[in-house]
Coordinates of all heavy atoms in Angstrom, one line a residue:
G58 N -10.0 -7.1 -4.2 CA -8.9 -7.2 -3.2 C -9.2 -8.3 -2.2 O -10.2 -8.8 -2.0
H59 N -8.0 -8.8 -1.7 CA -8.0 -9.9 -0.7 C -8.6 -11.2 -1.3 O -8.7 -11.4 -2.4 CB -8.7 -9.4 0.6 CG -8.3 -8.1 1.1 ND1 -7.1 -8.0 1.8 CD2 -8.8 -6.9 0.8 CE1 -6.9 -6.6 2.0 NE2 -7.9 -6.0 1.5
D63 N -7.2 -14.4 3.5 CA -7.1 -12.9 3.8 C -8.4 -12.3 3.6 O -8.8 -12.0 2.4 CB -6.0 -12.3 2.9 CG -6.0 -10.9 3.0 OD1 -6.5 -10.2 4.0 OD2 -5.5 -10.2 2.0
G64 N -9.1 -12.0 4.6 CA -10.5 -11.5 4.5 C -10.6 -10.0 4.3 O -11.6 -9.4 3.9
G65 N -9.4 -9.3 4.7 CA -9.4 -7.8 4.7 C -10.1 -7.3 5.9 O -10.2 -7.9 6.9
A66 N -10.8 -6.2 5.7 CA -11.5 -5.5 6.8 C -12.8 -6.2 7.1 O -13.3 -7.0 6.2 CB -11.8 -4.1 6.5
E74 N -14.7 -7.9 4.1 CA -14.3 -7.1 2.9 C -14.2 -7.9 1.6 O -14.6 -7.6 0.5 CB -13.0 -6.3 3.1 CG -12.6 -5.5 2.0 CD -11.2 -4.9 2.2 OE1 -10.6 -5.0 3.2 OE2 -10.7 -4.3 1.2
K75 N -13.4 -9.0 1.6 CA -13.1 -9.9 0.5 C -14.4 -10.2 -0.3 O -14.4 -10.2 -1.5 CB -12.4 -11.1 0.9 CG -13.1 -12.1 1.7 CD -12.4 -13.4 1.9 CE -13.2 -14.3 2.8 NZ -12.6 -15.7 3.0
N78 N -15.8 -6.9 -2.0 CA -15.0 -6.6 -3.1 C -15.3 -7.5 -4.4 O -15.4 -7.0 -5.5 CB -13.5 -6.9 -2.8 CG -13.0 -5.9 -1.6 OD1 -13.6 -4.9 -1.3 ND2 -11.9 -6.3 -1.1
K118 N 0.7 -13.7 1.2 CA 0.2 -12.3 0.8 C 1.1 -11.7 -0.2 O 0.8 -11.1 -1.2 CB 0.1 -11.5 2.0 CG -0.6 -10.1 1.8 CD -2.0 -10.2 1.4 CE -2.5 -8.8 1.1 NZ -3.9 -8.8 0.5
S139 N -8.5 -1.7 -8.8 CA -8.5 -2.6 -7.6 C -9.7 -2.1 -6.7 O -9.9 -1.0 -6.5 CB -7.2 -2.5 -6.9 OG -7.1 -3.5 -6.0
I140 N -10.5 -3.1 -6.3 CA -11.7 -2.8 -5.5 C -11.4 -3.2 -4.1 O -11.2 -4.4 -3.8 CB -12.9 -3.5 -6.1 CG1 -13.2 -3.2 -7.6 CG2 -14.2 -3.2 -5.2 CD1 -13.5 -1.9 -7.9
H141 N -11.6 -2.3 -3.2 CA -11.4 -2.6 -1.7 C -12.5 -1.9 -0.9 O -13.3 -1.0 -1.4 CB -10.1 -2.0 -1.2 CG -8.9 -2.9 -1.7 ND1 -8.3 -3.8 -0.8 CD2 -8.3 -3.1 -2.9 CE1 -7.3 -4.4 -1.5 NE2 -7.3 -4.0 -2.7
M142 N -12.5 -2.2 0.4 CA -13.3 -1.5 1.4 C -12.4 -1.0 2.5 O -11.4 -1.7 2.8 CB -14.3 -2.5 2.0 CG -15.5 -3.1 1.1 SD -16.5 -1.7 0.4 CE -17.2 -1.1 1.9
N143 N -12.7 0.2 3.0 CA -11.9 0.8 3.9 C -12.3 0.4 5.4 O -13.3 -0.1 5.7 CB -12.0 2.3 3.8 CG -10.7 3.1 3.9 OD1 -9.7 2.5 4.5 ND2 -10.6 4.1 3.3
S144 N -11.4 0.8 6.4 CA -11.6 0.5 7.8 C -10.7 1.5 8.6 O -9.6 1.7 8.1 CB -11.4 -0.9 8.2 OG -11.7 -1.1 9.5
L206 N -7.0 2.3 -7.1 CA -7.6 1.6 -6.1 C -8.7 2.3 -5.5 O -8.5 3.4 -5.0 CB -6.5 1.2 -5.0 CG -6.9 0.2 -3.9 CD1 -5.7 -0.6 -3.4 CD2 -7.5 0.9 -2.7
V207 N -9.8 1.6 -5.4 CA -11.1 2.3 -4.9 C -11.4 1.7 -3.7 O -11.8 0.5 -3.5 CB -12.2 2.1 -5.9 CG1 -13.4 3.0 -5.4 CG2 -11.9 2.6 -7.3
E208 N -11.3 2.5 -2.5 CA -11.8 2.1 -1.2 C -13.4 2.5 -1.3 O -13.6 3.7 -1.2 CB -11.2 2.9 -0.1 CG -9.6 2.5 0.0 CD -9.3 1.3 0.7 OE1 -10.2 0.4 1.0 OE2 -8.1 1.1 1.1
Ligands
ZN301 ZN1 -8.6 -4.0 1.3

Side-chain angles (χ1 to χ4, degrees):
H59 312 278
D63 172 22
E74 181 190 353
K75 65 175 182 178
N78 296 343
K118 187 67 184 171
S139 195
I140 306 293
H141 283 256
M142 293 297 300
N143 222 335
S144 182
L206 185 147
V207 186
E208 298 276 13

